[in-house]
Amino acid sequence: MRGDTADDAVADAAGARAGAILRLRGLALAAAAVPAAVASVLWAGRLTGHLGAAGAPDAVAWDAARWAVTALALLTFGWAAAFAAALRRARPHRTPNVPLAEQDAPELYRLVRDLAGRMEVPPPGAIALTPDCDSWLEDETAPGGSEPAPPTLVVGSPFMWWMRVAELRALLAPVAAGAACAMDPEISAARRFTHGLDAVLATHQGRRGAWASIPARSLLRRSRGHAAEMERAVAVWASERARQVDYGQRIVAQEQVGLAYAGWDRLLTRVALPAWRLGRTPGRLNAGVVSALTELSRRDRLAAEGFETRLGERPACDLLEEPGRIDEAASRLAARLFYAGPPVAPAPVVAAPGGADPALDWAAYPDEVVVGQWRHQSAALLAVLRLSPEVAPLTALGTALRTLREPGARLGAETLAARLEAQRGVSVARTGRDALSDGLYALVCRAAVASGRAEPGLDWLDGPVLLVDGVRRTDLGAPIALAVEHGDEEPLRAWLEELGIAVDPFDRPVRLR
């Protein structure tokens, strides 16, 4: 890292901050050794007769001091040894990733090594993917090791599928340049020390862990400023080193980072989350983000600028030997990282080889996830209406509409909402009216599909939708709101009749009291 005259000032600043952290570590070690040093002096004075010689009037006092300091030294030594062992065993947090062996992505490895060669920095030792819009270097130095090991380059998987090869190379240049800093002995040692302190704090909590957490917190407080400045200097150094590699392309790549992040977040929250809640795992999330951003470019003129030109360039996922298999592995990891709750419905009985749940194909999403979500959303409403979950959707919808207006104005809707809010399935953040709106919407969709007038669909930006003649219907919200808020189901009946769905108006409503 050092020795390049153009970057000497920045490199020296990073090295100076790393040296300050290591000096703090040395001072802590020296402080722990002070009682032992004092005890050694006292015992040496006893043996030489200079401090409390036998028969001297102050011998008893010196002996008492010697034993007290010796006891303190032993306690301090034991505590310091235990703390050093805890620090050595500490495992800093590592974000799970999908390792890429060289045979899985030989072209990607060649691209990264070419980057490192052009910037005159050591190449990363390995490459991995993470299901997130970020990239970094993961330290691979063995715990307690003195020599830094080549780091792993972790690349955000959405970048691989959305970006073109030239954009990815420009994006990874400053990240790969950081490998020189990761291999610097002082910077690597300083990082391991501060990361180890963080890990000690994470694993030693409460009163029982105070013996380790108190000194770790004190050392972190004194080293945090130096660590922040060191990382800032490292980032500046890496950025300056990467300027010589596709600097103009980096501006374009940074624009694509923001777009990829927006598309990935929308895909996870609107498309993947409903599937995860039903116990299903979409197997091609990264391919899905391309579809989502393609749809965004179709709707948004600003996002569409330059889109056609980019389509003619080689996508970065072509650098992988089996992009489909790797996409599936990254998609399963995304489900583990971003969805911690249990499925609200059991996963299908069919199992994939190895016992894992089969990956959900996007073509099966409407029938398995969209319909499944509507069934789940309408289940609570059916229970309040005292109807079987297997009742025909059109019959259940007719019962719900009549109950909303009976026995007068808003009492039916208010009673249904109150019953739904009382159920344990409604979270604190959602009211009974929200649950009623969701349940009624789901019943309408199920009835429309059961009548053959509509079909479930997948919108890449909004998730489950209702399609009529292949076109998404977005005008159902207002009739649902009128039925729920005012007990006026006529606009909703008119909406259904427009599709050719007649709801029997003569059946008697369900009595909720």
Side-chain angles (χ1 to χ4, degrees):
M1 173 181 172
R2 305 178 204 184
D4 185 347
T5 55
D7 299 329
D8 272 349
V10 179
D12 290 344
R17 295 294 182 173
I21 294 173
L22 296 180
R23 285 194 298 274
L24 179 64
R25 183 184 66 177
L27 286 173
L29 181 61
V34 167
V38 174
S40 299
V41 170
L42 290 176
W43 282 105
R46 173 69 175 82
L47 294 175
T48 59
H50 289 87
L51 297 175
D58 58 353
V60 175
W62 279 110
D63 284 342
R66 258 188 294 272
W67 286 110
V69 174
T70 299
L72 177 61
L74 289 174
L75 288 173
T76 304
F77 178 79
W79 166 78
F83 181 77
L87 188 60
R88 190 182 186 89
R89 291 193 306 267
R91 299 292 188 272
H93 173 73
R94 292 171 61 94
T95 302
N97 55 56
V98 178
L100 286 181
E102 187 161 359
Q103 60 265 29
D104 293 330
E107 290 191 79
L108 180 58
Y109 271 81
R110 283 197 294 271
L111 180 147
V112 172
R113 285 169 183 158
D114 176 66
L115 268 180
R118 293 170 63 184
M119 295 185 292
E120 299 180 350
V121 300
I127 302 177
L129 296 184
T130 182
D132 204 355
C133 292
D134 197 4
S135 298
W136 67 89
L137 291 172
E138 192 78 66
D139 186 16
E140 297 294 348
T141 304
S146 57
E147 292 297 324
T152 293
L153 174 62
V154 183
V155 183
S157 62
F159 299 154
M160 293 294 302
W161 269 259
W162 174 243
M163 288 189 167
R164 310 294 103 175
V165 172
E167 294 168 348
L168 182 71
R169 181 171 57 242
L171 178 71
L172 294 182
V175 184
C181 309
M183 295 296 290
D184 183 273
E186 285 192 352
I187 292 178
S188 177
R191 283 173 169 172
R192 290 198 303 274
F193 179 63
T194 55
H195 294 168
L197 292 175
D198 276 324
V200 168
L201 273 180
T203 55
H204 294 78
Q205 299 179 355
R207 293 184 178 180
R208 297 186 63 180
W211 64 272
S213 62
I214 290 176
R217 188 175 292 107
S218 176
L219 289 170
L220 266 180
R221 186 169 56 250
R222 288 165 173 78
S223 62
R224 201 178 298 277
H226 293 300
E229 291 300 325
M230 178 185 73
E231 296 298 344
R232 189 174 293 113
V234 164
V236 171
W237 185 90
S239 179
E240 288 299 319
R241 180 56 63 96
R243 287 178 68 91
Q244 57 189 287
V245 180
D246 301 326
Y247 180 70
Q249 192 71 38
R250 282 175 61 190
I251 300 174
V252 178
Q254 288 299 327
E255 294 174 355
Q256 299 305 318
V257 167
L259 197 59
Y261 181 86
W264 184 246
D265 180 71
R266 192 73 173 255
L267 184 76
L268 293 184
T269 55
R270 300 292 184 89
V271 178
L273 187 58
W276 293 339
R277 285 174 173 165
L278 294 174
R280 299 308 312 272
T281 303
R284 299 290 188 272
L285 283 180
N286 293 286
V289 81
V290 177
S291 299
L293 291 172
T294 301
E295 178 66 16
L296 178 63
S297 69
R298 188 183 67 82
R299 299 182 190 180
D300 189 338
R301 290 183 179 180
L302 184 62
E305 291 183 4
F307 180 75
E308 296 295 335
T309 304
R310 292 182 72 255
L311 287 182
E313 301 173 8
R314 188 186 184 194
C317 62
D318 275 5
L319 300 174
L320 306 174
E321 288 293 293
E322 299 181 70
R325 178 179 61 82
I326 294 171
D327 191 358
E328 185 171 328
S331 299
R332 289 190 180 279
L333 180 57
R336 283 174 45 205
L337 292 177
F338 302 129
Y339 183 67
V344 296
V349 178
V350 181
D357 290 335
L360 175 67
D361 188 79
W362 288 124
Y365 188 96
D367 290 332
E368 295 195 29
V369 176
V370 179
V371 174
Q373 176 172 283
W374 290 341
R375 283 183 176 277
H376 170 69
Q377 288 178 336
S378 62
L381 180 57
L382 292 178
V384 169
L385 293 172
R386 302 188 184 116
L387 296 175
S388 166
E390 304 303 322
V391 67
L394 190 58
T395 301
L397 178 60
T399 302
L401 291 181
R402 291 185 297 276
T403 304
L404 282 172
R405 68 177 181 180
E406 295 290 344
R410 300 171 57 189
L411 184 57
E414 289 178 353
T415 306
L416 281 174
R419 292 287 180 87
L420 286 168
E421 192 162 6
Q423 288 189 350
R424 291 183 177 271
V426 180
S427 66
V428 177
R430 296 184 63 77
T431 65
R433 289 194 180 276
D434 293 331
L436 179 56
S437 296
D438 291 344
L440 186 58
Y441 178 89
L443 271 182
V444 171
C445 293
R446 290 181 61 193
V449 171
S451 67
R453 306 292 183 175
E455 58 184 359
L458 166 61
D459 185 285
W460 290 108
L461 296 176
D462 293 322
V465 294
L466 182 69
L467 303 179
V468 177
D469 295 329
V471 179
R472 177 185 176 186
R473 293 299 295 258
T474 59
D475 57 347
L476 185 53
I480 292 288
L482 287 172
V484 171
E485 298 294 334
H486 303 287
D488 181 8
E489 88 282 10
E490 291 304 322
L492 185 53
R493 286 182 181 274
W495 188 93
L496 290 165
E497 290 172 0
E498 180 188 345
L499 295 186
I501 304 172
V503 181
D504 188 353
F506 300 110
D507 287 347
R508 302 179 64 184
V510 171
R511 296 300 178 184
L512 300 175
R513 297 187 299 277

